[in-house]
Amino acid sequence: MLEHLSRAARLFGRACRVRCPNCGGGAIFDSWFRMKTACPTCGLAFDRGEEGYQVGSYMFNIILAELVFAVVLIVILARSWPSPPWDVLEYAAPALMVVLPFALFPLTKTLYLALDLLLRPGS
C-alpha cells in the first residue's frame, strides 16, 4: 500500500511540474498546446494507444478549470460578503471560464497522463 502511495505521489509530483510523469524528464511540450509524441528522456509514448484518450484529457482539463473557478468564486464571495462585487463578477467569471482551460492545458495533460500511468502502468 505504501509503495502505491509513493508511486502516485511521485507521478503526480512530476506532473505538477509539467514534466514526464514516468521519469521526470523535461521539455515534453513543443509549444503550449502541443505535446511531443514521446518523452525525449525515457521514450514513453504520450499517446497511450487508446481511441478517445484525448477526450479524457480534455474532460480532465474542463473539470480542473471548473474546480479552480468554483474555489475562486467561493473565496471572493466569502471575503466580500455581505456585499460581493456582483458587477465585477458578472464580467470576470465568464472571462475566467474561457481563460482557465487554455492556461491549465499543459498541467492537465501531464496530470491526466500521470493518472493513466497509475491506473495502467504497463500500457
Side-chain angles (χ1 to χ4, degrees), residues 1 7 15 17 33 35 38-39 48-52 57 60 64 66 70-72 74-75 84 90 93 95 100 107:
M1 175 75 171
R7 182 169 188 272
R17 293 189 319 255
F33 298 109
M35 193 176 218
C39 176
R48 300 285 285 156
E50 237 183 61
E51 198 170 316
S57 175
F60 197 73
L64 186 61
E66 288 177 4
V71 167
V72 168
I74 289 169
V75 167
E90 182 179 358
L100 274 175
L107 175 64

Side-chain angles (χ1 to χ4, degrees), residues 38-88:
C39 176
T41 306
C42 70
L44 174 72
F46 294 139
D47 180 13
R48 300 285 285 156
E50 237 183 61
E51 198 170 316
Y53 179 78
Q54 294 291 48
V55 176
S57 175
Y58 296 150
M59 184 57 81
F60 197 73
N61 181 289
I62 291 169
I63 291 169
L64 186 61
E66 288 177 4
L67 285 173
V68 169
F69 168 76
V71 167
V72 168
L73 182 64
I74 289 169
V75 167
I76 289 172
L77 290 175
R79 294 186 134 239
S80 63
W81 200 260
S83 54
W86 292 116
D87 292 339
V88 173

Side-chain angles (χ1 to χ4, degrees), residues 4-20:
H4 293 294
L5 289 174
S6 173
R7 182 169 188 272
R10 188 172 53 252
L11 288 171
F12 285 106
R14 291 171 178 165
C16 284
R17 293 189 319 255
V18 189
R19 295 173 125 358
C20 173

Side-chain angles (χ1 to χ4, degrees), residues 18-37:
V18 189
R19 295 173 125 358
C20 173
N22 191 49
C23 71
I28 61 172
F29 284 88
D30 286 329
S31 67
W32 192 263
F33 298 109
R34 199 169 91 158
M35 193 176 218
K36 293 184 178 185
T37 56

Side-chain angles (χ1 to χ4, degrees), residues 83-106:
S83 54
W86 292 116
D87 292 339
V88 173
L89 289 173
E90 182 179 358
Y91 297 104
L96 191 60
M97 286 307 299
V98 169
V99 169
L100 274 175
F102 293 104
L104 294 172
F105 185 79

